[in-house]
């Protein structure tokens, strides 16, 4: 049986430089996902044209630059992550090649075998963020699970997180002692009646 061997990571995209190549529907989807998660993400979007919806989306995004031109390998310079976000598979492959030569991690839209990382479905309740991955097999299932979790998790979860942080800050002792005490406190969340 095949398993998902991805290692989940949460990037601080406001501290990274991200290149998105593509100004159409796919580019709009990727830029929207990044800005939904971090409105101050540092994005450079390179394309020969931009959907009006994409231009409107980034109009008030302080750290997004739209560069209307053909993509070139120099666009990878200084980037930490790249996203090939067009519906042209051959062109996306070209962008992938340039990213690999530049040692930039890349996500290639709709081509899991070329991706170094995926943009999973994300559930957020305040400070709690849950990313869902199907290992690139079915974004639709990830989307449905997101809807289920969004509905199931209580809105008050952020208040609980704030209180647990206060408790954590007050606990004395080393790391293992803090973990032990926090596990005792949160045991109530998983106890069966």
């Amino acid at each position: 049986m095949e398993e998902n061997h991805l290692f989940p990571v949460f990037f601080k995209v406001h501290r990274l430089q991200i290149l998105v190549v593509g100004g159409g529907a796919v580019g709009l989807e990727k830029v929207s996902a990044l800005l939904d998660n971090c409105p101050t993400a540092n994005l450079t979007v390179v394309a020969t044209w931009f959907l009006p919806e994409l231009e409107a989306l980034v109009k008030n995004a302080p750290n997004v630059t739209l560069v209307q031109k053909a993509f070139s390998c120099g666009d990878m310079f200084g980037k930490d992550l790249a996203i090939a976000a067009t519906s042209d598979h051959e062109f996306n492959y070209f962008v992938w090649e340039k990213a690999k030569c530049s040692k930039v991690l890349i996500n290639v839209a709709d081509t899991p075998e070329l991706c170094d990382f995926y943009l999973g479905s994300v559930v957020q309740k305040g400070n709690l963020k849950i990313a869902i991955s199907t290992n690139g097999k079915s974004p639709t299932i990830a989307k449905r699970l997101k809807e289920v979790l969004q509905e199931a998790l209580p809105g008050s979860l952020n208040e609980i997180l704030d209180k647990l942080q206060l408790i954590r800050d007050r606990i004395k002792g080393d790391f293992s002692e803090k973990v032990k005490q926090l596990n005792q406190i949160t045991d109530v969340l998983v106890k069966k009646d």
Side-chain angles (χ1 to χ4, degrees):
M1 179 177 172
E2 187 180 343
E3 291 185 25
N4 184 334
H5 293 282
L6 296 172
F7 184 75
V9 205
F10 290 92
F11 289 116
K12 294 180 177 181
V13 293
H14 67 284
R15 289 167 48 172
L16 301 175
Q17 295 299 318
I18 303 170
L19 173 67
V20 178
V21 180
V26 181
L28 173 62
E29 176 190 332
K30 302 300 184 180
V31 170
S32 181
L34 286 160
L35 292 177
D36 282 349
N37 281 279
C38 181
T40 58
N42 292 303
L43 308 177
T44 301
V45 186
V46 173
T48 55
W49 60 276
F50 298 101
L51 279 176
E53 295 89 343
L54 178 56
E55 292 175 323
L57 174 69
V58 304
K59 188 177 182 181
N60 295 318
N63 301 329
V64 178
T65 304
L66 299 182
V67 180
Q68 190 166 357
K69 70 173 201 66
F71 167 78
S72 65
C73 59
D75 295 323
M76 289 289 170
F77 182 75
K79 300 301 184 274
D80 300 298
L81 302 173
I83 300 173
T86 77
S87 54
D88 181 337
H89 293 292
E90 284 182 38
F91 179 69
N92 284 349
Y93 186 80
F94 173 72
V95 175
W96 174 82
E97 287 179 317
K98 300 309 171 200
K100 296 288 59 174
C101 289
S102 302
K103 302 213 182 304
V104 174
L105 296 175
I106 186 164
N107 171 281
V108 180
D110 235 9
T111 316
E113 64 274 10
L114 295 182
C115 291
D116 294 320
F117 62 94
Y118 299 131
L119 304 178
S121 282
V122 177
V123 177
Q124 185 164 356
K125 294 283 183 161
N127 284 296
L128 177 70
K129 191 171 278 194
I130 302 169
I132 302 166
S133 168
T134 61
N135 209 13
K137 294 198 178 278
S138 178
T140 303
I141 289 291
K143 180 182 173 184
R144 294 297 174 227
L145 284 171
K146 172 185 175 176
E147 292 169 355
V148 168
L149 288 171
Q150 195 70 38
E151 184 69 30
L153 294 172
S156 62
L157 211 44
N158 205 50
E159 292 173 39
I160 295 168
L161 289 174
D162 288 342
K163 289 176 184 172
L164 283 171
Q165 181 181 9
L166 286 172
I167 293 168
R168 184 177 120 197
D169 292 345
R170 290 180 185 160
I171 295 174
K172 303 290 183 227
D174 63 8
F175 178 75
S176 59
E177 180 59 30
K178 287 183 177 191
V179 169
K180 180 181 169 189
Q181 288 186 39
L182 286 169
N183 281 338
Q184 289 172 344
I185 292 167
T186 57
D187 221 13
V188 68
L189 298 172
V190 292
K191 270 193 177 164
K192 306 270 192 256
D193 290 335

